[in-house]
Amino acid sequence: MFDVRTLIDRIPRIEVLIIGDAVLDCWMAGPSHRLCREAPVPVVTVTDRTYAPGGAGNTAANVAALGAPVHLVSVIGDDQDGRLLRDALVDRGVSADGLLTVPGYRTPSKRRVLAGQQMLARLDDGGDEPIPEHAADELIRTVDRLASRCACVLVCDYGTGMLTDGIRDRLVQRRRSWSGPVVVDAHDPARWAALRPTAVTPNYTETRLLLDERGPEDGDERAVFVERHAGRLLDRSGAAMVVCTLDADGAVLLQPGRRIYRTYAKTAPAPGFTAGAGDSFVAAFTLALAAGAHETTALELGTIAAGVVCQQARTSVCRRAELLRAIAPSESGITSEEELAEYVAAYRKAGRRLVFTNGCFDVLHRGHITYLNQAKQLGDVLIVALNSDESVRRLKGPDRPVNPVEDRAVVLAALSCVDHIVVFDEETPAKLLEAVRPDVYVKGGDYTPEMLPETPIVWRLGGEVRILDYVDDRSTTRIIERIRRTAEVPR
């Protein structure tokens, strides 16, 4: 047996083959202040446009984010969307050696229009016709070339038409030559029963399709419904195990002759519309199986990875550092500089606005809390750089800090407005500012931006500097003085 950390450390040695339909996800967002004259619909002024791999592409991006080398066998068109999708995949560490460009084929895309955080419409295009026969032959040759070097195979069939019945039948013929687990994530799992997969991972809607029954809508009743039909689900899927995902209610593992095993998702407020948590689940679950994990452990890891993504915005992935943090969060609440770099990269890709502040935060008081809440309102993510004990002594004198850095960090981490705490030992957080490149740098007090040594750095990096007022008559120094005066009064 081995612990979860050892399991995750094995992931970079697992080469993964993903076969499926990749989609270009586009998010178009901006403010809306008026209605269209032609129809009573909002007019959105697009100020932010981001692209990400969707479908099997997002699953591949999740595998890469967890540290495993991954090959995606998919078809894209010789069009602008195809080029954007290829670039987005390569940018996220997915090998492009299995991507086939087919002239005349329209790359599947999903374009979402948001007014602020409210999604108004989704525009789907492409992927509505089967690929030509010569492309199907090339796809199978590519699978044969890559499968022999991979430790597991993941089939992602989202129904765009790429995985035709002919391609499916040819993959079934090759099933015995594949090593390691074979996992199928499909809108219609019954199509892949002849593949005899190690596992299928239908969501609740796909589970009902597999059973051809309506089923209840309540979370706990859904789990009971899945358990009651375990035998039929296993038979119709042709799989050794069925994993039914229930969104915010976790997941259920079904295996012949065994009691069901269920996980429960941790509830957390999402920062905005999130897509792709199911892809994160499948990626982590499959990698865990390939790394030798017990099925229940793999289910737990998949659930945790999906939970990480549900706390992010738009099409997102779960990274190795985020998975480790979610499994065993630091008791101190402190994020390392290495972990912070990974978080910042993820936030940038998701288009989130980063706010940065720093301070000693020695004896946390009402002024601090008001200030930090105001800072959080200036963006999406608040990063607090906390002075080390030695740094505080240099700034405040030998009798400070009153509380050591570990205690100060724990108290700050308990504030819901604070997303990350990182400790620095220098006179200023200049090094951290260079690494984070915040959109907004915040300080509190009677300053002007020109008075701060950090301002030139922030401006050079393209950020803005905001000065917030402290709450009157609230400071750590005054609190300490009041405590001392009280202690000196004779009893």
Side-chain angles (χ1 to χ4, degrees), residues 128 318 435:
D128 52 0
C318 175

Side-chain angles (χ1 to χ4, degrees), residues 378-395:
L378 297 175
D380 302 308
V381 179
L382 176 59
I383 299 167
V384 177
L386 187 61
N387 289 80
S388 69
D389 291 346
E390 182 57 36
S391 176
V392 175
R393 278 189 283 273
R394 291 195 300 267
L395 290 170

